[in-house]
């Protein structure tokens, strides 16, 4: 890391004026849109038309009393005459969420990070936070929903509860979906995806339950707005999650879109990448804070260190990525822009402590350096180098090691003496450091000849892992 205080660690890249889109072409005519922009424009125009056509609550009475006797001016319904009854009923204006309305939220996360996520949500100021199975429940208004997407480093997505009821059969799921005000959030102009998960549910087929929920949503919109949405399982505008347990069905609206661990910067994933929210969880469980040096001697594509840099600088994990709620009817672009501008104003310009990563694979280091640029970090914000962990000198007198070393198939034909030799290096040169290793090899502590101070059960994808914590001393635990 460069010691110069004048160089910024984070680079903000504003859009140039030429890159901004306009609604008119050079000849003054309205520009025709295509693709996703055309669909978004159609959604906004339809919602505005519905709001304009919806009468005020007292409008009919006001018109009736204000017309003088003999006034031949006809109302809109009178002008339309009997033909009005032959046309489909016009859709009602969607009910937008009030800023003070409180929603019940569920934020899923990787197994083992529930407590860390609970502490994160409480630190962000949310109320009613309660740990659940692979996630946390909490309460928030609509602004809080947006902030949770913007600021949470550990959540996988943000799910807003829209309906819940006891169910006994698949038809009960259909009825629940038809009774829910989906037109409040999306309509026939949006594409839809429905996912179903269950724990101890008596339903025989989750696929059929998923179909019943989808049919209920589409039937509701067809009845209210005259058409049903298209199904898109790849990039839908609206995502609905159905969760079933022993007695109840709960319908959630996924306002995140793509999973929150996709920060928008990682294209080079390396051989065995950690998801970004799991990497942030390792840092939270390790006890590392930005005022201490951090080392990853098996850094791969640099996920742990880039997450650490964003934490140290105060970069919100969602600042440079799109979200699902931006395509929903209630989206307030001005409010969302204000929240992001406020977040950017609190980003620190530089790091105070060194972040160092090494890997014996030169291609992995190249991928890590490319990821730095996409993460809007300056090239010298994290020091990456090609080096064998057994020969890497400590970058400071004391600090934290947080790493995801090779294990299982990834370890392959590595030197059989890797762990004993690396342990010798740690004991000789890293006294006073805190060592944190995530691995699926439960025998790793014995191979390192170290006694774990603490272990956390975690899941890295489908792998059952442990985060082992060691306090390194020069003489080793055996002599101590």
């Amino acid at each position: 890391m460069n010691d110069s205080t004048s160089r910024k660690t984070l680079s903000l890249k504003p859009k140039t004026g030429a890159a901004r889109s306009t609604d008119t072409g050079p000849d003054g005519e309205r520009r025709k849109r295509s693709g996703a922009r055309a669909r978004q424009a159609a959604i906004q125009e339809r919602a505005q038309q519905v709001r304009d056509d919806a009468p005020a609550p007292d409008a009919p009475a006001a018109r009736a009393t204000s017309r003088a006797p003999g006034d031949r001016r006809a109302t809109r319904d009178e002008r339309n005459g009997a033909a009005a009854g032959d046309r489909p009923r016009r859709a009602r204006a969607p009910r937008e969420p009030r800023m003070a309305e409180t929603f019940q939220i569920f934020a899923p996360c990787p197994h083992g990070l529930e407590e860390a996520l609970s502490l994160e949500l409480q630190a962000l100021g949310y109320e009613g936070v309660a740990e659940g199975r692979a996630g946390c429940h909490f309460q928030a208004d609509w602004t809080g929903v947006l902030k949770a997407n913007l600021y949470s480093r550990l959540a996988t997505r943000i799910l807003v509860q829209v309906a819940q009821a006891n169910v006994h059969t698949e038809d009960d799921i259909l009825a629940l979906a038809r009774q829910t005000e989906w037109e409040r959030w999306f309509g026939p102009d949006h594409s839809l995806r429905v996912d179903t998960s269950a724990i101890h549910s008596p339903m025989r087929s989750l696929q059929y339950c998923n179909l019943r929920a989808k049919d209920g949503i589409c039937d509701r919109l067809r009845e209210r707005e005259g058409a049903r949405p298209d199904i898109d399982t790849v990039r839908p505008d609206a995502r609905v999650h159905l969760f079933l347990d022993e007695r109840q069905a709960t319908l959630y609206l996924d306002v995140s879109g793509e999973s929150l661990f996709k920060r928008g910067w990682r294209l080079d994933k390396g051989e065995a990448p950690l998801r970004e929210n799991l990497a942030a969880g390792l840092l939270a469980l390790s006890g590392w804070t930005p005022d201490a040096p951090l080392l990853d001697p098996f850094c791969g594509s640099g996920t742990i260190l880039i997450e650490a840099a964003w934490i140290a600088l105060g970069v919100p994990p969602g600042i440079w990525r799109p979200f699902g709620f931006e395509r929903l009817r209630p989206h307030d672009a001005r409010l969302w822009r204000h929240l992001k501008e406020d977040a950017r104003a609190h980003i620190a310009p530089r790091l105070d402590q060194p972040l160092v990563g090494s890997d014996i694979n030169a291609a992995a280091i190249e991928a890590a350096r490319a990821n730095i640029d996409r993460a809007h970090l300056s090239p010298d914000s994290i020091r990456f180098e090609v080096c064998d962990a057994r020969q890497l000198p400590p970058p400071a007198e004391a600090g934290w090691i947080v790493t995801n070393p090779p294990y299982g198939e990834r370890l392959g034909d590595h030197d059989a003496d890797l762990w004993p030799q690396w342990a010798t290096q740690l004991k000789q040169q890293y006294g006073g450091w805190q060592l944190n290793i995530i691995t699926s090899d439960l025998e790793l502590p014995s191979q390192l000849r170290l006694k774990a101070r603490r272990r956390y059960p975690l899941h890295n994808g489908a792998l059952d892992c442990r985060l082992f914590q060691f306090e390194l001393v020069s003489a080793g635990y055996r002599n101590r």
Side-chain angles (χ1 to χ4, degrees):
M1 178 177 173
N2 196 331
D3 293 334
S4 173
T5 59
S6 62
R7 176 172 296 179
K8 290 187 176 181
T9 303
L10 192 76
S11 59
L12 301 179
K13 302 177 181 178
K15 296 181 179 179
T16 61
R20 297 171 184 159
S21 62
T22 58
D23 292 333
T24 58
D27 55 357
E29 295 183 358
R30 188 175 182 84
R31 176 174 297 172
K32 294 182 179 180
R33 301 180 185 272
S34 62
R37 291 179 61 83
R39 182 166 58 188
Q40 183 66 18
I43 292 170
Q44 294 174 353
E45 290 177 2
R46 179 187 180 93
Q48 183 62 45
Q49 181 181 4
V50 169
R51 286 193 290 267
D52 292 342
D53 291 342
D58 298 329
R63 285 197 298 269
T65 57
S66 63
R67 293 173 62 188
D71 190 347
R72 303 295 299 174
R73 291 177 297 176
T75 64
R76 183 177 61 190
D77 291 339
E78 291 169 343
R79 289 195 302 269
N80 293 339
D86 298 334
R87 292 196 301 269
R89 182 180 180 184
R90 185 177 296 277
R92 297 184 301 172
R95 181 167 63 93
E96 297 184 358
R98 300 182 300 274
M99 291 299 107
E101 183 177 0
T102 300
F103 298 94
Q104 300 297 324
I105 314 294
F106 181 68
C109 68
H111 284 279
L113 295 185
E114 295 88 350
E115 182 180 359
L117 175 59
S118 174
L119 294 175
E120 178 192 61
L121 293 172
Q122 293 177 55
L124 290 173
Y126 292 103
E127 298 180 351
V129 179
E131 295 179 32
R133 179 186 175 92
C136 289
H137 300 269
F138 66 100
Q139 300 173 355
D141 59 13
W142 186 247
T143 301
V145 171
L146 304 188
K147 287 183 176 180
N149 282 276
L150 180 61
Y151 286 103
S152 179
R153 301 184 189 278
L154 305 181
T156 303
R157 56 183 69 248
I158 301 299
L159 305 176
V160 178
Q161 180 177 316
V162 293
Q164 186 179 68
N166 290 333
V167 294
H168 303 285
T169 67
E170 290 82 355
D171 287 341
D172 293 336
I173 297 174
L174 174 68
L176 177 63
R178 291 185 66 174
Q179 295 166 7
T180 305
E181 292 183 292
W182 301 109
E183 65 274 10
R184 179 185 184 186
W185 306 100
F186 56 89
D189 296 317
H190 295 75
S191 57
L192 172 67
R193 170 173 175 164
V194 180
D195 294 290
T196 299
S197 59
I199 297 178
H200 306 305
S201 173
M203 301 297 177
R204 295 183 178 181
S205 171
L206 293 186
Q207 184 176 2
Y208 186 56
C209 293
N210 194 77
L211 181 62
R212 292 276 82 186
K214 189 185 306 178
D215 288 343
I217 296 170
C218 293
D219 290 348
R220 168 86 182 197
L221 293 177
R222 183 172 53 200
E223 293 169 358
R224 297 295 173 125
E225 304 197 1
R228 56 183 291 158
D230 294 331
I231 303 300
D232 185 347
T233 60
V234 181
R235 295 187 62 84
D237 298 316
R239 295 171 182 253
V240 174
H241 288 256
L242 168 65
F243 175 73
L244 301 168
D245 60 17
E246 298 94 330
R247 301 182 307 275
Q248 290 185 323
T250 306
L251 287 166
Y252 293 101
L253 181 67
D254 178 358
V255 295
S256 299
E258 287 194 304
S259 297
L260 293 181
F261 66 79
K262 297 182 178 181
R263 316 293 203 213
W265 57 260
R266 188 168 71 174
L267 294 181
D268 295 315
K269 298 182 179 181
E271 185 179 355
L274 281 176
R275 289 181 173 178
E276 289 85 330
N277 60 340
L278 179 55
L282 299 182
L283 293 167
L285 295 176
S286 72
W288 173 81
T289 55
D291 59 354
L294 179 66
L295 170 65
D296 183 356
F298 303 93
C299 68
S301 59
T303 304
I304 292 176
L305 292 168
I306 292 176
E307 280 295 309
W310 276 24
I311 292 171
L313 294 170
V315 179
I319 195 67
W320 279 298
R321 55 153 286 171
F323 290 94
F325 60 75
E326 296 180 78
R327 301 195 293 274
L328 298 178
R329 283 178 170 175
H331 179 55
D332 186 339
R334 180 179 299 178
L335 171 62
W336 179 232
R337 184 168 58 252
H338 171 74
L339 293 176
K340 291 197 293 185
E341 289 173 353
D342 180 70
R344 288 192 178 100
H346 291 85
I347 295 176
R350 60 182 178 271
L351 296 166
D352 295 327
Q353 292 293 337
L355 304 178
V356 180
S358 73
D359 201 286
I360 199 171
N361 187 343
I365 294 298
E366 287 301 315
R369 289 170 177 162
N371 284 334
I372 279 185
D373 181 65
R374 282 188 289 268
H376 299 263
L377 297 168
S378 62
D380 60 346
S381 58
I382 303 173
R383 194 180 85 207
F384 286 117
E385 57 186 275
V386 180
C387 185
D388 190 321
R390 293 169 288 187
Q391 302 172 1
L392 182 67
E397 292 185 1
W400 260 253
I401 299 174
V402 181
T403 189
N404 174 33
Y407 48 84
E409 293 182 359
R410 181 179 164 216
L411 185 59
D413 297 328
H414 279 63
D415 189 344
D417 296 329
L418 171 62
W419 302 129
Q421 292 177 0
W422 185 46
T424 300
Q425 165 83 348
L426 293 174
K427 294 173 184 178
Q428 291 177 351
Q429 299 192 30
Y430 285 83
W433 282 71
Q434 303 294 322
L435 174 62
N436 295 262
I437 304 175
I438 182 174
T439 179
S440 64
D441 183 2
L442 303 185
E443 300 300 322
L444 184 60
S446 62
Q447 296 181 58
L448 292 173
R449 304 191 303 277
L450 293 172
K451 182 179 180 180
R453 179 167 57 90
R454 189 168 182 178
R455 62 189 69 197
Y456 293 94
L458 294 172
H459 279 82
N460 182 11
L463 292 176
D464 183 18
C465 297
R466 299 291 184 274
L467 175 65
F468 293 105
Q469 293 185 341
F470 309 91
E471 183 179 356
L472 299 177
V473 293
S474 298
Y477 276 95
R478 187 168 296 176
N479 295 335
R480 185 183 180 191

